[in-house]
Amino acid sequence: MSVKAKLTVIYSLVLLIVLGFFGFTSYFLLSYDLFSNLDSSLAGEAEKAKGLIIQGSDNNLYYTGSVSADLVYVYDIETGTVFGSEVYESIVLASVSDICATSGDIPCMLLETSDPEIRLYVTRYEHVSEANLLLVYVGDASYIYRTLDEYKHVLYMTIPFALIIAAVFGYFVAHRSFRQVKVIAQTTDSINPANLKDRIPVKQNDELGQLSSTLNSLFDRVYGFIQSQHRFTSDASHDLKAPLTVIRAESELALRKERNSEEYRQAFKNIVKQVERMTLIIDDLMTLASLDAGPRPSHSSKIDLGAALESSADKWQTAMQIKKIKSVRQIQHGLSIYGEAEQFNRLFDNLLSNAVKYTPSGGEVSISLKEEDGFIVVSVQDSGIGISKEHLPHIFDRFYRGDWDIEGTGLGLSIVKGTSELYKGRVEVISEQGKGSEFKVFLPQSAS
């Protein structure tokens, strides 16, 4: 059974229950109201009839006013005799004599008889001297049963008709609503996984429209990721091919003819230099692959970030002294985080490497670690060449380098960004060309 059919059936069953409950309740309330009105009318008519009937010496009843002779009776408790018309005499006698036999004191009461369409109202006939007489007023309830039967027939006719109309309408609404589902299914089925340019048309802003927009957003992200992977593969191939080309050229030149030891030595130096460059690229690629794979709990432990940053700064101290760069440290100790020490060592090394690389002789590098607004903030600020506005949006792209004359893999800042995001943090950069740069890494203390 299709979803549309299931929804139609469920909708119809719920409607049937609601209509059935409404019909039963309304039938009960109508019956109660009609009988209550009849009983109230009987009580009023009986009280009025007390002053409008006279029982003569011959025991016959004489009626005045508008009282119907067929509806008013007098019952003698002592003799068990009924005085009045013969129309309901037997019913009145049977019903009232049963009550008198079981109850000594007869208050005003309503009696149901053997005939469900006849109801009696019994009260003391106090307008005569005898205390043993009862006034009985007969009520005809036949019109109530006719009204209830007619209402019941109306319910039997309208409920099935309403169900049919509701089922047809419900199926139509379900069919109309599920047209967007069909569009979603057709579009997703026809999308080329290698391209992902097609998108689901969104015509309404209902739940299905929002689902379509969400899927389109997912396709955009997947498409962007695929494009990024294509660029990444192309850039990685290019960066790995360049040193391989140099290695091959140096090797071919060395093998082409006999050379002296110094020339061979120089060729081997060039080959080793390119191998080291390839090793750096491969190490960075493996780091990025590890970050893409997500956290590895088995490799994680509690890390003292202050000690780790001090250690990384010490490693770069010699390079700073060679370039006569002033190092300023403001490291707050006692701040720790749960994670992989190797990842944070690489994060710090990449930030310090860029600071040293792009800061000219006589410059300054400031390193700080502090707690700020629920975050652990790592800051590396330099007085180097800075980053131009055109390069600033792309510095975290993999293999992107603003200056190709300076050696590097173009993966360092990608590793910084990937590491911070792995630990639910972020990276911010403030830079102006010619005035230096400041990189801030914000790590939430909740990850501690």
Side-chain angles (χ1 to χ4, degrees):
M1 183 183 291
S2 66
V3 176
K4 290 184 291 186
K6 289 180 181 177
L7 288 176
T8 302
V9 171
I10 293 172
Y11 175 73
S12 300
L13 288 176
V14 171
L15 184 61
L16 176 62
I17 293 172
V18 172
L19 290 178
F21 176 77
F22 171 78
F24 173 80
T25 304
S26 61
Y27 181 85
F28 173 78
L29 292 176
L30 177 62
S31 174
Y32 177 81
D33 187 57
L34 289 175
F35 280 110
S36 295
N37 288 338
L38 176 61
D39 294 341
S40 298
S41 176
L42 288 177
E45 292 295 330
E47 293 301 324
K48 185 170 66 173
K50 286 181 180 180
L52 298 177
I53 64 170
I54 301 171
Q55 186 176 18
S57 58
D58 54 358
N59 290 329
N60 290 325
L61 298 181
Y62 298 93
Y63 306 92
T64 63
S66 59
V67 178
S68 174
D70 293 335
L71 301 180
V72 181
Y73 295 82
V74 173
Y75 179 80
D76 190 332
I77 299 176
E78 292 183 359
T79 62
T81 306
V82 174
F83 303 97
S85 171
E86 296 180 356
V87 178
Y88 301 110
E89 182 180 356
S90 59
I91 295 177
V92 171
L93 180 61
S95 301
V96 178
S97 59
D98 289 342
I99 294 300
C100 292
T102 57
S103 177
D105 184 20
I106 306 297
C108 298
M109 65 170 56
L110 286 163
L111 296 180
E112 293 185 359
T113 66
S114 57
D115 186 347
E117 294 185 356
I118 303 300
R119 294 169 76 84
L120 305 179
Y121 182 82
V122 181
T123 182
R124 287 286 181 178
Y125 188 29
E126 299 168 348
H127 288 267
V128 294
S129 58
E130 293 86 350
N132 59 347
L133 296 181
L134 300 177
L135 179 71
V136 181
Y137 199 94
V138 179
D140 185 1
S142 59
Y143 76 96
I144 296 178
Y145 287 97
R146 287 195 302 270
T147 302
L148 293 176
D149 286 340
E150 291 173 0
Y151 185 70
K152 198 169 9 177
H153 291 148
V154 171
L155 291 177
Y156 289 157
M157 291 177 62
T158 55
I159 289 179
F161 182 74
L163 280 176
I164 293 172
I165 297 298
V168 173
F169 180 75
Y171 187 84
F172 172 76
V173 171
H175 176 75
R176 185 177 179 83
S177 300
F178 274 83
R179 282 193 303 184
Q180 183 65 18
V181 176
K182 188 176 181 180
V183 171
I184 294 173
Q186 290 175 343
T187 305
T188 53
D189 187 57
S190 63
I191 288 178
N192 183 356
N195 196 336
L196 285 177
K197 285 187 176 180
D198 293 334
R199 294 294 179 267
I200 302 169
V202 180
K203 297 181 180 179
Q204 295 179 343
N205 193 30
D206 55 8
E207 288 80 359
L208 292 176
Q210 292 173 7
L211 173 61
S212 302
S213 299
T214 302
L215 289 174
N216 286 337
S217 177
L218 172 63
F219 295 150
D220 290 338
R221 293 195 299 272
V222 173
Y223 179 73
F225 177 77
I226 292 175
Q227 293 298 105
S228 175
Q229 291 299 101
H230 286 167
R231 290 193 300 271
F232 175 76
T233 303
S234 176
D235 293 340
S237 300
H238 176 271
D239 276 47
L240 288 173
K241 187 176 180 180
L244 285 174
T245 302
V246 174
I247 291 172
R248 180 176 180 179
E250 291 288 347
S251 301
E252 288 178 348
L253 286 173
L255 293 172
R256 188 169 296 173
K257 63 178 182 178
E258 289 292 331
R259 299 181 183 274
N260 58 45
S261 60
E262 184 59 30
E263 291 176 329
Y264 280 124
R265 191 178 190 86
Q266 186 60 42
F268 286 140
K269 281 184 178 180
N270 291 336
I271 291 173
V272 169
K273 184 178 179 180
Q274 297 303 318
V275 170
E276 289 176 348
R277 182 183 173 189
M278 290 180 63
T279 302
L280 286 175
I281 294 174
I282 292 172
D283 286 345
D284 285 345
L285 288 174
M286 292 181 67
T287 300
L288 287 171
S290 174
L291 294 176
D292 289 340
R296 299 179 297 177
S298 60
H299 293 71
S300 298
S301 59
K302 194 171 185 179
I303 304 164
D304 186 338
L305 289 179
L309 185 56
E310 290 276 13
S311 177
S312 293
D314 289 342
K315 286 193 296 183
W316 287 96
Q317 190 63 39
T318 301
M320 292 183 189
Q321 290 174 351
I322 293 173
K323 293 185 69 175
K324 297 180 181 181
I325 296 174
K326 181 182 178 181
S327 175
V328 179
R329 302 184 189 181
Q330 292 181 331
I331 299 176
Q332 178 181 341
H333 291 276
L335 299 177
S336 59
I337 196 170
Y338 189 82
E340 296 185 36
E342 181 184 351
Q343 292 174 344
F344 287 99
N345 290 335
R346 276 191 171 273
L347 185 151
F348 298 149
D349 285 344
N350 283 316
L351 290 176
L352 293 171
S353 172
N354 284 345
V356 174
K357 190 185 302 181
Y358 294 103
T359 300
S361 298
E364 180 177 299
V365 173
S366 299
I367 306 165
S368 73
L369 174 70
K370 61 182 179 179
E371 180 183 356
E372 183 179 294
D373 297 330
F375 286 90
I376 300 173
V377 183
V378 182
S379 173
V380 176
Q381 184 176 8
D382 62 67
S383 59
I385 62 176
I387 306 169
S388 64
K389 290 182 178 179
E390 61 189 74
H391 294 304
L392 201 57
H394 307 289
I395 59 174
F396 295 107
D397 295 346
R398 297 179 180 185
F399 291 106
Y400 184 84
R401 280 185 281 173
D403 188 351
W404 288 87
D405 294 330
I406 298 179
E407 289 188 3
T409 63
L411 296 173
L413 290 179
S414 297
I415 292 174
V416 171
K417 183 174 183 287
T419 303
S420 63
E421 289 178 347
L422 180 65
Y423 290 92
K424 312 299 182 185
R426 68 182 191 278
V427 183
E428 293 181 359
V429 56
I430 302 173
S431 183
E432 186 176 348
Q433 195 167 11
K435 295 186 178 180
S437 305
E438 181 181 11
F439 286 86
K440 283 186 174 183
V441 178
F442 295 81
L443 300 169
Q445 285 189 312
S446 57
S448 302

